[in-house]
Amino acid sequence: MKILAIAGSNSETSINKLLVSYAASLIQNAEVEVVDMNEFEMPIYKHQREVESGLPQEAKNFAAKIDAADILIVSLSEHNGTYSSAFKNVFDWTSRIKDRAVWNEKPMLLMATAPGARGGLGVLEAAAKRFPLHGGNIVDTFTLPFFNDNFDKSAQTISNEEKDSELKEKIAKISAVEIILEK
């Protein structure tokens, strides 16, 4: 089983990258690839640019990673209640690839975290509404509020037992979906 773990942030110290890496590590006997949005930096999407230059190779590379995965675990950083501009640009360019949906109907655990009480709930709600329109097969969602209080960076794990148990249940659920799809 191949897991693609996507942190929707281009921060070198992304808390969403820490969370998505931890979540992906919970799936047993899986090959995990953690995606860094910085690998897919490209010009800001503009229709005229697409007409003149075509699709950037980075968008095609991002789509290929999705296509090669069995399960997607996506943790989005929240900027002003929605996606980071780095993530949104990759999403926009990938959505322009002819005859494909961005997420390609792959089973997805959609997550967010933030330092505050809402834990990225705004971006999670926005993505949960939008992603199914682009082939997002969202099996479940998870949010981790108060990241700095609930995640132990040195141990690379959720320190809040209740939230850790909740995430482990959701990981078991998405892992079961993949097992059913294999049969």
Side-chain angles (χ1 to χ4, degrees), residues 130-159:
R130 189 79 209 158
F131 285 8
L133 302 174
H134 296 275
N137 177 10
I138 301 169
V139 174
D140 215 332
T141 63
F142 175 79
T143 182
L144 182 64
F146 299 114
F147 179 84
N148 296 319
D149 296 330
N150 290 320
F151 194 92
D152 181 342
K153 288 181 182 179
S154 62
Q156 301 290 301
T157 186
I158 294 176
S159 55

Side-chain angles (χ1 to χ4, degrees), residues 14-163:
S14 171
I15 60 178
N16 281 281
K17 190 171 185 180
L18 292 173
L19 178 61
V20 80
S21 297
Y22 171 65
S25 77
L26 296 173
I27 299 178
Q28 300 298 311
N29 302 315
E31 177 187 337
V32 175
E33 180 179 1
V34 180
V35 167
D36 184 334
M37 283 288 108
N38 292 301
E39 295 173 23
F40 304 99
E41 193 169 312
M42 55 193 123
I44 293 173
Y45 177 79
K46 178 168 66 172
H47 178 70
Q48 183 179 356
R49 183 174 286 136
E50 178 185 2
V51 170
E52 292 171 359
S53 304
L55 291 167
Q57 186 60 46
E58 292 86 352
K60 295 172 188 174
N61 294 347
F62 186 73
K65 288 185 181 294
I66 291 169
D67 293 346
D70 298 307
I71 292 175
L72 305 175
I73 303 178
V74 180
S75 189
L76 299 170
S77 62
E78 184 175 88
H79 293 196
N80 298 317
T82 193
Y83 323 112
S84 71
S85 57
F87 174 81
K88 179 71 166 74
N89 195 47
V90 172
F91 180 82
D92 287 346
W93 275 112
T94 305
S95 76
R96 301 300 300 161
I97 298 173
K98 188 175 172 133
D99 298 326
R100 71 161 287 127
V102 173
W103 303 113
N104 208 12
E105 300 299 329
K106 300 289 179 158
M108 177 188 297
L109 174 59
L110 183 58
M111 306 187 308
T113 190
R118 290 180 38 88
L121 192 57
V123 70
L124 196 64
E125 290 169 346
K129 287 179 186 173
R130 189 79 209 158
F131 285 8
L133 302 174
H134 296 275
N137 177 10
I138 301 169
V139 174
D140 215 332
T141 63
F142 175 79
T143 182
L144 182 64
F146 299 114
F147 179 84
N148 296 319
D149 296 330
N150 290 320
F151 194 92
D152 181 342
K153 288 181 182 179
S154 62
Q156 301 290 301
T157 186
I158 294 176
S159 55
N160 177 308
E161 290 180 23
E162 184 178 316
K163 292 303 284 183

